[in-house]
């Protein structure tokens, strides 16, 4: 079969930096550009799936962070998967599955060395490289084990528990026979699902009496924080001696003008707690162990993984907005290429 080489590329680029608040319909715009000629060492990749992540909201702010801000006019940065169409690199050939920062666009053209070759394991599916065995699954693993130092018998509280990271973290904690697990999320359907998975307490942070409900679950040994803000503040008020607070994310602040003040930080001192931030990409040396662990948990039937998938590059902006509105359960992914054969395995 002869694959024709594309000449045009549709991209979703950053149009303007949003002020505080959610992204709007003018934050991004679509454009079609010519595909440049490949240089030595470069590849042309057809993007199949792009990952949507809360951290992308931070990447479009002009502030100091773990990655530089996306430039105005540049394709939106995004982790994704694709198939090599043309290669001018000795390390890749047409048809190879690759992963990397291949952005919101139909085709990636760039240095092959910035991509990683992937092989779907027997019985596995491509999309898992963005979810269960990708950054979000590994964030849950690193967060609970390396940062949270989870041990059997702990009371583990997880916010954002029905999202990509939270769902995995909740089920890892539930796999410890003596751990008590409290899962916090934003709607009754999510709570029902978390209960079905085995969470001992499920709390809706939008309930009027949430504070009271949260207080009733008792002292916390590990708080896996995906959201920051008022939920974090209350968790700090309830930490047990030697508690571990896993500073994973703060989605409640990503759209805010100013983060919510934290009043109970002094409990970190009096309870001799550890409050530690991390960025999963710094823990690459642990990824192999993490993938083995998660695959094993899945084989044992103790880890159910969900994807929230939309189709077409034109859905990226709306799907990112939906994620901030809590419409996803599990990992949010956009299927960019229309003819990908992995669809049946979603
Ligand atoms: N440190 C790292 O290396 C690392 C890596 C990956 C992700 N993260 C962080 O981990 C967190 C979860 O990421 P994810 O990819 O798994 O996203 P996700 O949980 O799949 O999606 C975001 C969820 O956040 C909840 N949410 C939105 N606004 C909220 C608010 N104001 N207060 C409380 N909850 C809110 C929504 O669920 P509800 O319906 O429950 O509101 C939404 O579904 C994010 O903060 C992300 O930045 C960190």
């Amino acid at each position: 079969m002869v694959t024709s080489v594309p000449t045009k590329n549709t991209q979703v680029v950053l149009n303007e930096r949003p002020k505080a608040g959610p992204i709007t319909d003018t934050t991004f715009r679509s454009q079609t550009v010519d595909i440049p000629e490949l240089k030595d060492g470069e590849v042309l990749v057809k993007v199949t799936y792009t990952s949507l992540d809360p951290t992308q909201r931070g990447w479009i702010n002009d502030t100091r962070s773990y990655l530089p801000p996306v430039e105005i006019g540049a394709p939106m940065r995004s982790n994704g998967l694709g198939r090599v169409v043309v290669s001018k690199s000795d390390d890749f050939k047409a048809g190879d599955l690759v992963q990397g920062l291949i952005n919101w666009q139909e085709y990636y053209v760039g240095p092959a060395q910035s991509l990683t070759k992937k092989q779907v394991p027997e019985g596995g599916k491509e999309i898992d490289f963005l979810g269960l065995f990708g950054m979000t699954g590994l964030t849950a693993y690193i967060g609970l084990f390396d940062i949270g130092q989870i041990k059997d018998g702990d009371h583990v509280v997880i916010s954002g528990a029905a999202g990509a990271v939270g769902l995995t973290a909740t089920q890892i904690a539930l796999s410890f026979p003596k751990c008590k697990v409290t899962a916090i999320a934003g709607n009754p359907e999510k709570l029902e699902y978390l209960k079905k998975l085995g969470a001992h307490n499920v709390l809706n942070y939008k309930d009027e009496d949430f504070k009271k409900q949260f207080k009733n679950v008792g002292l916390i040994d590990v708080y896996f924080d995906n959201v920051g803000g008022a939920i974090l503040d209350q968790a700090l008020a309830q930490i047990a001696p030697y508690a571990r607070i896993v500073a994973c994310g703060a989605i409640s602040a990503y759209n805010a003008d100013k983060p919510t003040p934290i009043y109970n930080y002094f409990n970190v001192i009096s309870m001799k707690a550890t409050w530690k931030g991390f960025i999963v990409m710094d823990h690459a040396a642990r990824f192999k162990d993490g993938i083995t662990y998660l695959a094993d948990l899945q084989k044992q039937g103790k880890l159910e993984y969900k994807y929230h998938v939309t189709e077409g590059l034109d859905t990226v902006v709306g799907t990112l907005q939906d994620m901030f509105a809590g419409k996803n359960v599990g990992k949010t992914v956009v299927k960019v290429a229309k003819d990908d054969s992995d669809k049946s395995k979603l």
Side-chain angles (χ1 to χ4, degrees):
M1 192 182 80
V2 181
T3 315
S4 61
V5 177
T7 55
K8 298 280 181 194
N9 186 18
T10 302
Q11 307 175 315
V12 177
V13 302
L14 182 61
N15 185 48
E16 63 188 20
R17 290 195 197 286
K19 309 226 165 22
I23 57 166
T24 70
D25 293 344
T26 57
T27 307
F28 298 98
R29 68 182 158 80
S30 178
Q31 67 178 25
T32 300
V33 295
D34 291 335
I35 291 180
E37 203 159 305
L38 288 187
K39 299 189 196 97
D40 283 344
E42 287 191 333
V43 282
L44 167 65
V45 172
K46 180 171 183 170
V47 178
T48 51
Y49 293 99
T50 195
S51 167
L52 294 194
D53 298 280
T55 195
Q56 287 173 294
R57 177 64 186 83
W59 291 347
I60 57 179
N61 290 339
D62 192 8
T63 49
R64 192 171 72 90
S65 189
Y66 63 98
L67 285 177
V70 175
E71 301 281 340
I72 304 277
M76 180 58 192
R77 182 189 293 138
S78 171
N79 181 23
L81 291 166
R83 294 271 172 191
V84 175
V85 181
V86 182
S87 174
K88 280 202 163 187
S89 155
D90 293 341
D91 300 326
F92 292 86
K93 60 177 185 332
D96 281 348
L97 175 66
V98 291
Q99 178 170 19
L101 292 174
I102 52 184
N103 306 336
W104 285 359
Q105 54 187 348
E106 290 177 309
Y107 294 97
Y108 163 91
V109 178
Q113 66 195 30
S114 65
L115 304 173
T116 312
K117 208 187 286 190
K118 293 285 174 186
Q119 188 95 44
V120 181
E122 188 77 22
K125 47 188 199 283
E126 190 176 315
I127 199 173
D128 278 339
F129 290 123
L130 298 182
L132 179 57
F133 304 131
M135 288 304 158
T136 48
L138 290 164
T139 299
Y141 173 82
I142 302 289
L144 269 186
F145 285 101
D146 297 34
I147 313 296
Q149 303 283 314
I150 187 173
K151 58 181 185 336
D152 213 2
D154 279 340
H155 178 202
V156 183
V157 176
I158 296 151
S159 55
V165 174
L167 209 51
T168 314
T170 299
Q171 293 177 86
I172 294 175
L174 284 168
S175 73
F176 285 77
K178 292 187 196 138
C179 278
K180 181 171 90 173
V181 179
T182 297
I184 304 174
N187 72 44
E189 293 74 35
K190 291 183 181 185
L191 297 195
E192 207 170 297
Y193 180 55
L194 290 159
K195 192 89 197 158
K196 197 193 104 199
L197 291 174
H200 304 89
N201 306 299
V202 291
L203 307 178
N204 185 344
Y205 69 90
K206 292 177 183 165
D207 281 353
E208 258 177 41
D209 64 342
F210 168 71
K211 271 190 143 185
K212 192 170 149 220
Q213 291 183 43
F214 195 6
K215 203 169 173 197
N216 285 341
V217 304
L219 296 185
I220 303 165
D221 298 298
V222 178
Y223 176 56
F224 196 113
D225 183 20
N226 282 313
V227 306
I231 305 176
L232 164 65
D233 200 26
Q234 189 170 343
L236 290 173
Q238 290 177 214
I239 48 176
Y242 302 103
R244 284 83 69 204
I245 299 125
V246 181
C248 175
I251 193 165
S252 72
Y254 297 170
N255 282 325
D257 190 10
K258 285 186 196 143
T260 310
I262 298 295
Y263 299 98
N264 295 312
Y265 68 90
F266 49 79
N267 269 3
V268 175
I269 306 162
S270 55
M271 290 299 121
K272 301 147 279 186
T274 307
W275 186 0
K276 192 170 178 193
F278 73 107
I279 291 294
V280 65
M281 288 180 298
D282 291 354
H283 296 260
R286 292 275 289 134
F287 288 178
K288 202 164 164 244
D289 288 352
I291 290 168
T292 306
Y293 176 89
L294 293 166
D296 190 48
L297 210 58
Q298 193 184 39
K299 268 194 213 117
Q300 293 175 47
K302 293 181 180 168
L303 180 51
E304 210 173 278
Y305 202 77
K306 276 194 184 287
Y307 290 93
H308 176 86
V309 184
T310 60
E311 290 210 20
L313 191 61
D314 53 344
T315 66
V316 279
V317 177
T319 308
L320 190 60
Q321 286 169 323
D322 283 351
M323 181 201 283
F324 277 86
K327 295 197 180 151
N328 63 305
V329 173
K331 175 73 192 124
T332 304
V333 174
V334 173
K335 183 173 177 292
V336 176
K338 296 214 162 63
D339 56 349
D340 175 71
S341 58
D342 203 44
K343 189 180 176 189
S344 60
K345 296 178 193 164
L346 286 175

